[in-house]
Amino acid sequence: MNGIHDLGGMDGFGRVPHEDDATVHAPWEVRLRALVGIELATGLTNIDAFRHAIERIDPRCYFAVGYFGRWLAGLEALLVERGVLAAADLDALPGERVRVSPSDPQPPAAAVLGSLRRIERAPRFAAGESVRTRNAHPHGHTRLPRYARGRIGRIDRVHPAFVLPDTNAHGLGENPQHVYAVRFASRELFGDDADARASVCLDLFESYLEPVEG
Amino acid sequence: MSGEHDHGHSHDAPDRRAVRAEALEALLTEKGLLDPAAVDRIVRHYEEDIGPMNGARVVARAWVDADFRARLLENGTAAIGELGLSGAQTEHLVVVENSARVHNVVVCSLCSCYPWAVLGLPPAWYKSPEYRSRVVREPRTVLAEMGLGLDGAVEIRVWDSSAEVRYLVLPERPLGTEALPEPELADLVTRDCMIGVAVPRLPTRG
């Protein structure tokens, strides 16, 4: 989805708050992190659907509630969507219920843990090959950021096969496929004023890519 | 504090979110859906077993053992396994090596993916919208602001962790460390060095 989470290349946030290197700021944050780990390990849903739940947080609230506030909102939404709790249970909790838009289709139960898969099919692309990313704007979950759509890059390395988040987040199957580290020149992504001696490597699923002639 | 917190929006303050998170855990426990002792165990694991000291061990070993370094760059997951490191969130680890010519830096612009098995929980700044938005587009400026001024001739490679592959930066061994034993070398390797926003430095004497 073209969501607020897709931050790469945005302006206006200012300097990185490097002095804040705490991993958690309060005990509830690390307990919530553990709680989400347990829920995912026991099959509430899969990691892709969890990431998508966070993306579905109302964009007007996404930054204001903070990192662990997003985890809380995402977990709450999934507990209701998966039928573990009733919406009334959440309404009865103290504090604010953050609005999360619905998932279409709904998040599935987790099937197999982990994302790495063995597949018979050979990789379609080889290291060194030029590829173009698809200009795709799905309303559901995807891991192709906006800043890298319709861009030409070069395969830096071929990774093993992984579950495709775009379908797995919505219960539409694992569709495991090879992932490629694809290197893009900064100028290809961000225009002529970008750093001539910088590049960005993204890990992209085979179905995000098409061959480039020549 | 991270720039994300408390800009005066009409949202719950962090202490109200704490109350809500604790109430949610209590509700799941009351319904028999959660064992709070399991939460305690995982919290202890986060606090005691994982952290950047693991990645620092990997880097120090690579600095003193050329064969290990070659295996680490060839297959990061298998090589860290030799040191007893593995775990969720790090099914496939790729180690990228800095040199005098090339500097690597890691980010996750879409969420905050991070190599837990070797670095533990991510720091607040890594999860901030400031870092996620800017380091892909203007890495040299962001690194300079964070205290790492790179020569204009150095090529910067940003790794945006958009799938389940996790990245660890293997920094260059500082000059003047030839006599240091492996544990003391590990002490030079900070979390920031392995994300790629800093480079290891010898402590200044005096």
Side-chain angles (χ1 to χ4, degrees), chain B residues 64-111:
Chain B
V64 300
D65 181 340
D67 292 336
F68 177 77
R69 177 177 152 277
R71 293 197 298 278
L72 184 68
L73 295 171
E74 174 68 28
N75 183 338
T77 320
I80 68 166
E82 295 176 30
L83 303 185
L85 301 172
S86 66
Q89 283 274 313
T90 314
E91 289 181 279
H92 189 72
L93 182 75
V94 169
V95 178
V96 289
E97 185 182 34
N98 286 348
S99 69
R101 267 190 332 102
V102 175
H103 182 84
N104 296 281
V105 58
V106 180
V107 64
C108 169
S109 69
L110 291 171
C111 45

Side-chain angles (χ1 to χ4, degrees), chain A residues 5-11 13-25 28 30-31 33-35 38-39 47-48 51 60-70 72 75-76 79 84-85 89-90 93-97 114-116 143 145 147 156-157 159-160 162 179 181 183 190 195 197-205, chain B residues 1-4 9-12 14 16-25 27-28 31 33-34 36 38-40 42-43 46 89 91-92 94 108-113 116 121-125 127-134 136-137 139-140 142 145-146 152-167 191-192:
Chain A
H5 67 285
D6 189 354
L7 294 177
M10 279 180 72
D11 289 322
F13 288 106
R15 290 173 77 98
V16 176
H18 194 195
E19 66 289 348
D20 187 1
D21 65 352
T23 55
V24 294
H25 292 111
W28 71 271
V30 69
R31 288 195 75 77
R33 177 64 188 75
L35 173 53
I38 290 171
E39 291 296 337
I47 183 71
D48 301 306
R51 290 201 182 105
R60 287 159 291 209
C61 309
Y62 181 90
F63 300 114
V65 301
Y67 179 79
F68 286 102
R70 292 196 285 273
L72 180 59
L75 175 61
E76 288 183 15
L79 286 167
V84 176
L85 295 178
D89 290 326
L90 294 186
L93 293 176
E96 176 192 35
R97 183 174 172 192
S115 302
L116 202 53
R143 297 292 288 183
Y147 78 84
D156 188 86
R157 61 177 83 196
H159 295 308
F162 290 86
V179 172
R183 179 175 306 287
F190 298 114
D195 195 324
R197 299 191 61 77
S199 62
V200 181
C201 223
L202 283 145
D203 286 327
L204 301 177
F205 289 82
Chain B
M1 293 293 284
S2 146
E4 267 191 294
H9 297 274
S10 58
H11 281 283
D12 273 357
R16 294 280 292 163
R17 281 196 286 280
V19 170
R20 186 172 177 88
E22 284 156 10
L24 178 64
E25 186 186 330
L27 176 66
L28 291 169
K31 287 180 179 285
L33 301 169
L34 179 72
V39 179
D40 296 338
I42 295 178
V43 168
Y46 291 160
Q89 283 274 313
E91 289 181 279
H92 189 72
V94 169
C108 169
S109 69
L110 291 171
C111 45
S112 298
C113 297
W116 285 59
L121 279 70
W125 64 261
K127 301 177 285 189
S128 70
E130 293 89 339
Y131 186 70
R132 287 168 50 195
S133 63
R134 291 183 59 212
V136 293
R137 173 162 173 183
R140 206 173 301 268
V142 170
E145 287 176 5
M146 296 176 80
V154 173
E155 177 192 340
I156 302 179
R157 295 181 184 165
V158 181
W159 300 83
D160 189 351
S161 319
S162 50
E164 295 298 336
V165 180
R166 295 292 171 266
Y167 289 91
R191 172 167 65 196
D192 283 6

